[in-house]
Amino acid sequence: MTFLLESYNPLLVALMAMSGTVLVWPSIERFFSGGREVGTLEATRLINNNALVLDVRDAAEFAGGHIPRARHIPLTELEKRVSELVKFKGKPVIVNGKNGLGVGQAIRVLTKNQFTDIYKLKGGIAAWQEANLPVERKDG
């Protein structure tokens, strides 16, 4: 019987390590992404002071509803199209994604291209809508 228990120890250790990693992953991702997180209230203040909202969701998600005046560049195209954002290098940039997904990668691309004032919208478009803030939809 002890032989069976001993043979499962590596599996238990691996399972515990994986579950621990899943629990701390959001903190690790936030640390390495480099952007500061802002809630909807602070994002609204930044937008009113001419911050750029960069929406990195795919086209269908963007068309379904986005923050007014948001600039849409899907995450898959950001590396190739970052030159379109050069005039915003010295201004605040709020990166928005679906529930915050993909934002860390977008922030790394922007940081690599010398953007310095980058924010992550906490909770993404879902938090924006939950706060009953205005949303534009792309018709057609």
Side-chain angles (χ1 to χ4, degrees), residues 92-110:
V93 177
I94 302 167
V95 183
N96 173 49
K98 182 178 181 180
N99 298 321
L101 297 176
V103 173
Q105 184 179 349
I107 289 172
R108 285 188 291 278
V109 169
L110 293 172

Side-chain angles (χ1 to χ4, degrees), residues 11-139:
L11 292 174
L12 291 173
V13 170
L15 180 63
M16 287 178 10
M18 287 180 3
S19 64
T21 302
V22 168
L23 289 174
V24 297
W25 184 255
S27 298
I28 294 168
E29 204 270 336
R30 197 171 340 166
F31 176 76
F32 286 109
S33 69
R36 295 166 284 187
E37 221 173 32
V38 292
T40 55
L41 183 63
E42 179 67 9
T44 302
R45 187 190 67 73
L46 288 166
I47 292 166
N48 288 339
N49 289 313
N50 296 319
L52 167 70
V53 176
L54 176 62
D55 196 314
V56 296
R57 298 175 298 149
D58 66 35
E61 291 169 333
F62 183 78
H66 57 272
I67 296 170
R69 299 187 329 246
R71 181 78 172 261
H72 180 236
I73 301 180
L75 183 59
T76 56
E77 299 174 18
L78 184 58
E79 188 80 47
K80 293 179 279 190
R81 295 179 55 192
V82 73
S83 61
E84 297 173 23
L85 306 173
V86 169
K87 65 182 177 184
F88 297 102
K89 273 191 180 181
K91 296 181 181 179
V93 177
I94 302 167
V95 183
N96 173 49
K98 182 178 181 180
N99 298 321
L101 297 176
V103 173
Q105 184 179 349
I107 289 172
R108 285 188 291 278
V109 169
L110 293 172
T111 301
K112 185 174 93 174
N113 286 278
Q114 287 81 44
F115 285 80
T116 56
D117 200 8
I118 308 168
Y119 300 87
K120 171 185 177 179
L121 180 59
K122 185 177 182 179
I125 191 70
W128 186 267
Q129 291 174 317
E130 190 175 298
N132 291 318
L133 292 166
V135 173
E136 292 180 346
R137 296 193 193 314
K138 197 173 187 180
D139 297 327

